[in-house]
Structures are given as structure tokens and as C-alpha cells.
Amino acid sequence: MTLRISGHVAALALAAALMPQSAWAQSSPESMSELAAMRAELEALKRQVSVLEQRLSAVDEAESPKVMAQTAPVPVSAPAAPAKPETEINFKGAPEIKTASGWSFKPRGRMLFDAGTVSTPQGITDKGLGFASEARRMRLGVEGSIPGGFGYKFEVDFAAADAEITDAFLSYKDKELLLTAGQHNNFQSLEELSSSNDTSFIERAAFTDAFGFARRVGVSAEWHKGDILVQGGVFSDAISALNNDENDTYSLDGRVVYAPKLGKTQLHLGASAHWRDEGDSVISARYRQRPLVHTTDTRFIDTGVFGNVHQTSSWGLEGAAISGRFHVAAESHWQQVSRAGVADPTFFGAAIEAGVYLTDDTRGYRDGMFKSMKVKNPVSKGGIGAIQLNVRYDRLDLNSAGIIGGTQDGYMASLIWTPIDYVRFLINYGHLSYEDAALIAGSDRDYSVDVLGMRAQISF
């Protein structure tokens, strides 16, 4: 604090002290002389006080900014954003663990329980027709990522008496390029590549099973940029067949997809080609198919076993569109069998379908495949889930070059209820018409059967 003395105040104080001066002035000349000296001293003191006051004022003005700077409030910085946790756990049907360094781990699996019934044509002794049920798929595995762009997937199906490895591979991704080594799908068709968790019918189109589409061990590359997807690879055989020391089969497989978006409509146009060499041996082959459901082993359409096979070639065309609640999809495939010394048969399969969601949902699609959809109004939030209605025409022709395996025309419908993500209930109906059927109904090889199938599934 600064103490300031006013010259005027000091003068008044001194004057007050000297109030009796008038009396002294009247009494003697010496008093008048002393009074004059005191006044001179008072004037000198006033001038000194004035100078001192000016100096003190200058010092106050110079010190004031420093004092304000010292007493001004210090701004408080905003709290720092919390650091990203070293490990994250998300839920995608099952816990997915991710680390900041690039590792991830997620268990995966599915349980598909089926029940179905197939009518028995008059004149055919019951061959496992009628009602049956089964655990269609019971898979359990793991998948994840490894630092540096690597990934892995391993899955086993326990539905059959002997556990079977489905996917088992290591992958590497760098921008638009994906490399894969191990057992995986070899780019056969749109529906075959789409997961069984997401198909619109209990079973895929008849030709996919009849022509032996399956995962095989191989090395492949995929290039995906914008609307273009190119896939190709070299494959041997499935893991279950590689224990045979004489296994020297190999195949070349490729697929091209163009998938543009026109407004809100997703289009899909694709083509695939496959060539397989059976190695040094000449083998036997057989093409056949179940009637829509897997709960029976009866095949009404069957080429029987034929030999002299050394190579097979196949090619297919794909088309699909998804627009809001609606979707359409169509595929065709030709399978040519090269035989030594006899004519080469070419078998044919095709399917076309259309579907609509009765709820405000849409079918999923990504990377050249149908994918799982997200339920907009699940029952867990008071909604009714997603309800989808589909119809399909399915054709399989196994008559060619003297081989009479028969033809199958399927007219099918399905109703799917997805109450929440990862859970579905399906019911399918099919009317299947046969010509040159492998099973004779009395003396008739042309007849039809009716099929009803149901499924309850959970996947994660």
C-alpha cells in the first residue's frame, strides 16, 4: 500500500500549530522575525512534500501493471481428452477384443436346427422320406487380426459324426489387395460365397451342391477398388482329402464383379470361371441333389457314378439388385466334364428369386456377397423384428451326352422372421417337378413332390 502526504494538509497542520502567532506579533519585534523564518521553512517544506508526492505518483503508475499481472486470474486449461484404452471390448454377437497395437480376437459360430418333411410319390417305397429333423450346422471357431495387416480365421463344424474343418486360413490386406492362404471358398458363385446365415432359403440353389462347390486349400488374391472386385486363386483339395499321398489335383478359379450403386439401388453383376485337373489318375464322378431340404438323403435327381473323368470346367453368371425393401437375384452355371474316350457332358443349373421385407428393413450386401442385415425395430426394443417374404424358381438339368440324371424344377417360397440381430426363424415350401427322375414311381419317372422345411438359427 502507498502512503501519500498532501502539501496542503501539512501546511494547514502547521498553520493550526502557529495559531497564536498574532499575539506574538503584537508583543515584540523578535517574535515577528522568528515568525518570518518559520514561514520560510514552511514554504520550503511544502515544496519538498510536493516533489515527493510527484515521485510517489510516478512510482505507483509504473508498478500498477505488474501488480495487475500478478493478481489477474490464471486461465484454467480444458481437461485433456481421456487416452484411448490399450484394450477395447465390443460386442458383435460375441465379445470382440481389440488392442491398440493391432491384435484382435473374436469367437464365432452358428447353430442351425432344421426340421422338414418330403411327400412320397405313389409307387415309391419309403426311402427316408416323410418327417425328419437334424442339427444342420454346429460351428465354432475364432477370427481376428494380427499387427501388420494380417488376419486369421479357423472354424470347425461339429454337426456330422466326424468334426469337419470349414475355414482355416491366414490373410494379408494392404489397401485394395487381399491375399489369403489356407482353406477357403474358391469364388464359385454369389450364393455359395454368401454365408448360410444370410441366405433367403434354408438351402442354396440346387446347382451349388450338385456341382460340388466346397472350400479347398489354396492361395488366392482379391483386388477391390470402387465398384470393381477381381478374385482369383490356385487350389488343391479340401483338408479332409489332403492326407491322401496320391492327391495331385489342382484348380484355377476366378471371379469378376461389378457392383455400382444407382441412386439408392445396389446392383451386382458377376461372372466366374473354374478349371480343375484331376492329376495323373482318371477318376469317377457323380452329380445329384436333395429335394430342397437336407433332412433327407433321398435324391430324386442323380447321374449315378460314371468314370473316365480327368478334368472339369465350369463357368457361371450372376446378377442381383437391392432397392429398399426389395431384392432380386439370378444365377446360372454350366459344369462340363472331360472324359477320356467318350463324349463330354455339360450339366446346367440356374435359379432366380425375388424378395420383399414386410417391415422397414433391407437385405445386406458387401464385397460381392449378401451379408447379414441389421434389424431396425427388434423385439428387444418393443418392435416386431424383420419379416421377409421370398419366392424362387430353381432349375437343375443332369441330362447330357448320354447320361440321364434327370431334371428338377423347383417352385419355392420362404418366410423369414428375424426378431433381433443374429437370430432367425425360417419356413420354406417347395413344389418340385421331376422328369427322368432317378427313382421310379411304379413305372413312372415323371412326377412331383411337396417339401416343407423349417429352421431356427443363432449365429455370432
Side-chain angles (χ1 to χ4, degrees):
M1 173 182 289
T2 302
L3 178 61
R4 187 171 296 174
I5 302 175
S6 171
H8 295 289
V9 173
L12 290 174
L14 289 173
L18 297 175
M19 284 291 291
Q21 63 180 327
S22 57
W24 300 340
Q26 296 175 2
S27 62
S28 70
E30 290 83 1
S31 298
M32 293 295 296
S33 176
E34 290 176 3
L35 181 60
M38 291 180 65
R39 286 179 175 175
E41 290 177 5
L42 179 60
E43 290 298 326
L45 180 61
K46 288 174 58 179
R47 287 193 296 269
Q48 292 177 4
V49 170
S50 178
V51 171
L52 180 60
E53 187 178 32
Q54 291 176 4
R55 289 179 179 179
L56 289 175
S57 178
V59 171
D60 283 348
E61 291 177 359
E63 291 293 330
S64 179
K66 294 182 180 180
V67 174
M68 291 180 62
Q70 293 175 359
T71 58
V74 178
V76 179
S77 58
K84 186 176 181 180
E86 185 68 22
T87 302
E88 293 183 5
I89 301 178
N90 300 311
F91 191 85
K92 296 182 178 180
E96 181 181 44
I97 304 171
K98 290 184 176 182
T99 69
S101 60
W103 286 94
S104 73
F105 174 88
K106 178 184 178 296
R108 57 175 291 118
R110 69 191 71 175
M111 294 185 292
L112 280 60
F113 297 96
D114 288 4
T117 182
V118 183
S119 66
T120 304
Q122 187 175 2
I124 293 181
T125 303
D126 185 1
K127 294 182 176 294
L129 301 176
F131 176 81
S133 60
E134 66 172 347
R136 180 67 176 93
R137 293 179 177 90
M138 298 288 288
R139 295 183 183 175
L140 186 63
V142 296
E143 65 181 352
S145 60
I146 303 173
F150 294 95
Y152 63 92
K153 182 179 179 181
F154 180 79
E155 191 173 64
V156 178
D157 195 336
F158 298 93
D162 297 324
E164 178 183 353
I165 297 175
T166 54
D167 289 305
F169 61 78
L170 177 70
S171 64
Y172 171 75
K173 185 172 179 59
D174 182 20
K175 298 179 181 179
E176 295 87 9
L177 180 66
L178 174 66
L179 304 178
T180 305
Q183 176 155 298
H184 57 294
N185 269 313
N186 54 333
F187 318 123
Q188 304 97 335
S189 76
L190 170 61
E191 186 158 79
E192 181 66 23
L193 292 173
S194 300
S195 170
S196 59
N197 296 327
D198 310 316
T199 55
S200 50
F201 286 81
I202 288 178
E203 297 296 326
R204 295 182 174 95
F207 70 85
T208 64
D209 190 44
F211 296 162
F213 292 173
R215 295 170 173 85
R216 304 181 190 276
V217 176
V219 179
S220 69
E222 300 183 38
W223 182 82
H224 190 184
K225 187 172 184 179
D227 300 334
I228 305 297
L229 172 64
V230 180
Q231 303 166 305
V234 181
F235 295 84
S236 55
D237 214 326
I239 289 177
S240 58
L242 291 181
N243 293 331
N244 184 350
D245 294 336
E246 299 179 358
N247 188 306
D248 56 357
T249 64
Y250 67 93
S251 68
L252 303 176
D253 301 87
R255 180 174 179 248
V256 178
V257 172
Y258 176 55
K261 289 200 76 170
L262 299 180
K264 295 183 179 180
T265 299
Q266 174 69 63
L267 297 181
H268 171 100
L269 299 172
S272 66
H274 314 268
W275 178 83
R276 180 174 176 82
D277 188 276
E278 299 299 340
D280 297 332
S281 59
V282 176
I283 67 167
S284 298
R286 185 180 190 179
Y287 296 92
R288 56 183 183 165
Q289 176 60 3
R290 293 178 172 87
L292 176 61
V293 293
H294 194 269
T295 53
T296 178
D297 284 333
T298 300
R299 276 85 164 183
F300 295 102
I301 182 169
D302 187 347
T303 63
V305 178
F306 60 92
N308 301 325
V309 176
H310 61 90
Q311 289 180 355
T312 58
S313 302
S314 66
W315 53 96
L317 298 175
E318 314 165 9
I322 303 172
S323 181
R325 301 181 181 188
F326 300 91
H327 88 274
V328 293
E331 292 195 70
S332 57
H333 210 91
W334 294 262
Q335 178 90 349
Q336 185 179 66
V337 183
S338 297
R339 304 177 67 195
V342 292
D344 298 338
T346 299
F347 305 118
F348 173 75
I352 182 170
E353 72 174 55
V356 59
Y357 277 96
L358 306 181
T359 52
D360 187 22
D361 295 281
T362 188
R363 191 166 191 185
Y365 175 90
R366 188 175 72 251
D367 298 333
M369 298 175 286
F370 288 123
K371 303 295 287 187
S372 59
M373 52 84 64
K374 302 295 291 182
V375 181
K376 289 188 177 180
N377 294 295
V379 296
S380 59
K381 295 183 179 180
I384 63 171
I387 301 175
Q388 185 186 25
L389 177 65
N390 305 283
V391 293
R392 168 183 282 179
Y393 169 69
D394 190 319
R395 168 79 174 178
L396 181 60
D397 185 350
L398 299 182
N399 290 340
S400 181
I403 296 176
I404 306 300
T407 64
Q408 173 183 282
D409 292 288
Y411 306 89
M412 307 172 184
S414 74
L415 183 64
I416 304 174
W417 178 44
T418 309
I420 61 173
D421 294 341
Y422 312 111
V423 175
R424 295 203 307 170
F425 298 92
L426 299 82
I427 183 167
N428 289 190
Y429 167 76
H431 179 79
L432 307 180
S433 179
Y434 295 96
E435 293 183 3
D436 300 318
L439 297 180
I440 301 175
S443 59
D444 194 359
R445 297 185 65 183
D446 301 343
Y447 50 81
S448 62
V449 300
D450 294 298
V451 182
L452 183 66
M454 295 168 285
R455 170 172 293 169
Q457 77 174 56
I458 180 172
S459 59
F460 54 88

